[in-house]
Amino acid sequence: MENSGGNQGNITAGLAGRYASALFGLAQESGQTDAVAASLSKVKSGLGESADLATLVGSPLVSRADATKAIAAVAAQLKLDSLTSKFLGVLAQNRRLGALASIIAAFDRIVAADRGEVTAEVTSAHPLSAQQLDALRAGLKSRTGQDVTVQAKVDPAILGGLVVQLGSQLIDGSIRTRLNSFASAMKG
């Protein structure tokens, strides 16, 4: 497998990374990377929207046989490509469905690295508008010199500002952190 992403070694560390790397290698060899990425996106959405699917994936009480049958039905219902369907069956057989969300995240990072993209996880107190996201992408692109995919999350606990995780770099411009720093400085 080609390592054009530069830091793919860091991405593939751990169980989820190894499974994601194996799936990426198979997808790349068969020219199905986009199809697998689209299928995994459907699965990711399904995990967020279906309590039954989340229970199936997270429950250690479901037998291998039942998990395999159920995941095959889910794959058919979501109209997943054959490689992703087989991969999910392997996860069910190996009792690794609990790692599915982490595997999908690692696969997304591998694909982004292969495409020369950088992913930034951005947390804000309120949802960002399309204009704000575009301005943020442009600012991050000028900082990194690469296209940046933004995964936006909302966490009202940060009060305001942004927290940006860009690879191993954390840029914390949240009001909560500023207030905590100010409080620490006042204690002296």
Side-chain angles (χ1 to χ4, degrees):
M1 175 174 43
E2 185 178 315
N3 186 3
S4 61
N7 67 347
Q8 190 168 329
N10 294 337
I11 295 170
T12 60
L15 176 85
R18 289 191 303 272
Y19 273 97
S21 180
L23 178 58
F24 178 76
L26 291 170
Q28 199 173 39
E29 285 174 15
S30 61
Q32 297 180 24
T33 307
D34 291 339
V36 171
S39 289
L40 289 179
S41 179
K42 290 179 188 177
V43 173
K44 183 178 178 181
S45 295
L47 286 171
E49 296 168 4
S50 169
D52 290 339
L53 181 56
T55 299
L56 167 68
V57 166
S59 176
L61 302 177
V62 179
S63 72
R64 289 176 199 246
D66 289 344
T68 301
K69 287 178 195 170
I71 210 70
V74 167
Q77 179 70 31
L78 294 176
K79 296 181 173 86
L80 304 181
D81 69 281
S82 63
L83 180 57
T84 304
S85 298
K86 290 175 188 172
F87 178 76
L88 293 175
V90 168
L91 291 180
Q93 283 295 309
N94 292 342
R95 301 192 67 72
R96 298 290 191 219
L97 286 175
L100 184 55
S102 298
I103 291 168
I104 293 170
F107 183 87
D108 289 345
R109 287 190 301 271
I110 292 168
V111 169
D114 185 64
R115 293 177 178 163
E117 299 170 352
V118 177
T119 300
E121 294 179 14
V122 177
T123 305
S124 60
H126 304 284
L128 298 176
S129 70
Q131 288 177 320
Q132 290 170 320
L133 287 170
D134 288 342
L136 183 59
R137 276 187 207 94
L140 291 171
K141 182 175 182 170
S142 69
R143 183 180 182 129
T144 64
Q146 296 177 292
D147 288 333
V148 177
T149 302
V150 174
Q151 293 179 344
K153 296 189 299 187
V154 175
D155 181 3
I158 70 167
L159 303 176
L162 297 174
V163 177
V164 180
Q165 180 78 43
L166 187 61
S168 62
Q169 186 179 21
L170 179 68
I171 305 163
D172 190 342
S174 68
I175 292 175
R176 176 182 62 194
T177 298
R178 291 179 189 172
L179 288 174
N180 288 343
S181 297
F182 182 69
S184 294
M186 295 298 289
K187 290 179 186 174

